[in-house]
Amino acid sequence: MTINSTPSPPRHLRTPEAARFLGLSDRTLEKHRSYGTGPTYRKIGGRVVYTLDDLQAWSDRGMRTSTSDPHAQIVPPAKRHAASSPSFASPLVQPESAEQ
């Protein structure tokens, strides 16, 4: 019996499968994708897919050894950041002064 040493191609998961793999809801994973805080994804034929390696790498960013781990990376929550929100942007044109 011979063992095939050819690596298998990466498995692609659709959003519901990827969310279950991460223990998240579909909607939370969609929000992460929309806000740019989630795992790397691909669009193939108009469909969003994730590889297991990308999901695992994103999940590993949240790995901790203790609550005070100084080298821990952060997996941000699935919400829009205030700095990039249009409602917090500074106005481009300054209003003219009433005194002239």
Side-chain angles (χ1 to χ4, degrees):
M1 182 167 126
T2 60
I3 298 175
N4 187 357
S5 63
T6 306
S8 61
R11 173 127 195 266
H12 290 94
L13 303 178
R14 304 272 311 267
T15 300
E17 297 169 313
R20 273 195 304 279
F21 177 81
L22 294 169
L24 302 173
S25 73
D26 298 2
R27 185 67 184 123
T28 298
L29 187 54
E30 290 168 358
K31 286 180 181 181
H32 274 295
R33 185 172 63 241
S34 174
Y35 301 146
T37 59
T40 303
Y41 66 95
R42 290 152 177 78
K43 290 206 67 166
I44 300 174
R47 295 182 179 182
V48 173
V49 294
Y50 300 86
T51 65
L52 289 173
D53 289 341
D54 289 338
L55 295 172
Q56 191 64 53
W58 182 75
S59 174
D60 289 346
R61 285 178 45 198
M63 189 180 312
R64 305 280 193 276
T65 56
S66 74
T67 56
S68 60
D69 188 353
H71 302 292
Q73 293 181 337
I74 296 175
V75 175
K79 64 181 181 179
R80 187 170 289 129
H81 297 279
S84 64
S85 178
S87 62
F88 292 104
S90 61
L92 296 176
V93 178
Q94 296 294 326
E96 293 184 27
S97 174
E99 299 175 33
Q100 285 189 7

